[in-house]
Amino acid sequence: MLRRIDRIQLAVPEAETAAKGWIGLLGAEPAGEDRIAGLGARRRRLRIGTGFVELLVPDGAGPVADAVARRGAHLYAAGASAPDLAGLATHLKVRGVSPLSEAGQLHLSERDTGIEGLRMVVSADETLPPVGEIDFLYEATLLSSDTAGITRQLNALFALDERNYTEIVSDLFGYRGTLTLFDKDELHRLEVIEPTTPGTTMDRYFRKFGQSLYMAFAETSRINLIAERAAAAGAGFTVDRPDNRPAHLPSDQLWLHPKALGGMMLGLSRPSMAWTWSGHPERVEAVA
């Protein structure tokens, strides 16, 4: 019942600082402001890729104010689109879940998902032209020590098909888990992973915040340009590229550090590269 990762929501003390990184580094464009009363928050929307970044600023008491007070600026909710939003609402209601319905979206709290650390915002699927320097968002990551249990809950909650899933293990970054691909031929998914190597950035994050949203990932055809902008701005980033690859050719991956984007880490991969670890390495296009 989910089609793609189409947006992410950040909870931030104020929107201006968070927006600067998305606009300056990634070419995001302002797409309006409003208020989500049920979250007690003002919302500033930015178009990026084929979707959105939504910055939520506390505007009185409510879950966003509580989240910012507890953790400061951070990734608040993973956003997905549904081809039949009304049908999804009915499916959830049958399961006893009645999330906040406001601004044309379903806002699922941790109580609604039944999964500690996981909030979701689900919108009607729409086709939008890409904006800025990323092509599209495709992943949001939940850290958990119970991958099997979480994926079972996600299957039931959103009627996902586990036959599309692929297992992921990274000795380099020290984690293992599951990619819950919404469609076997598309990259869009929630990643549910467990740190396996003590002392890594991911492990330290997990020990500090417990089961929680960690980061998001996007595909980009302009990975080198983004790295150049980050370097010029003094923004923190990490690059993954073969040592012998000529400078004019794209890196494989890049991570923009949380301070660069208002409190959350964003991973970027060159076109097709994510299929390396998503079940179809034969789909990865050679760099030439």
Side-chain angles (χ1 to χ4, degrees), residues 111 150 220 223 258 280:
R111 181 176 179 178
I150 297 300
T220 176
I223 197 165
H280 290 283

Coordinates of all heavy atoms in Angstrom, one line a residue, residues 111 150 220 223 258 280:
R111 N 2.8 5.6 18.6 CA 1.6 4.7 19.1 C 0.9 4.2 18.0 O 0.4 3.0 18.0 CB 0.7 5.6 20.0 CG -0.5 4.8 20.6 CD -1.3 5.7 21.5 NE -2.5 5.0 22.0 CZ -3.3 5.5 22.9 NH1 -3.1 6.8 23.3 NH2 -4.3 4.8 23.3
I150 N 10.3 -6.0 13.8 CA 9.9 -4.7 13.2 C 9.4 -5.0 11.8 O 8.3 -4.4 11.4 CB 11.1 -3.7 13.2 CG1 11.6 -3.4 14.6 CG2 10.7 -2.5 12.4 CD1 10.5 -2.8 15.5
T220 N 21.5 10.6 -6.7 CA 21.8 11.9 -7.3 C 22.7 11.7 -8.5 O 23.6 10.8 -8.5 CB 22.5 12.9 -6.4 OG1 22.8 14.1 -7.1 CG2 23.7 12.3 -5.7
I223 N 26.6 14.0 -7.7 CA 27.3 13.8 -6.5 C 28.5 14.6 -6.3 O 28.9 15.1 -5.2 CB 27.5 12.3 -6.3 CG1 27.8 11.9 -4.8 CG2 28.6 11.7 -7.2 CD1 27.6 10.4 -4.5
P258 N 25.0 15.6 9.9 CA 23.8 16.2 10.4 C 23.8 17.8 10.5 O 22.8 18.4 10.2 CB 23.6 15.6 11.8 CG 24.2 14.2 11.6 CD 25.4 14.5 10.7
H280 N 20.1 -6.6 -6.4 CA 20.3 -6.7 -7.9 C 21.6 -6.0 -8.3 O 21.6 -5.0 -9.0 CB 19.1 -6.2 -8.7 CG 17.9 -7.0 -8.5 ND1 17.7 -8.2 -9.2 CD2 16.8 -6.8 -7.8 CE1 16.5 -8.7 -8.9 NE2 15.9 -7.9 -8.1

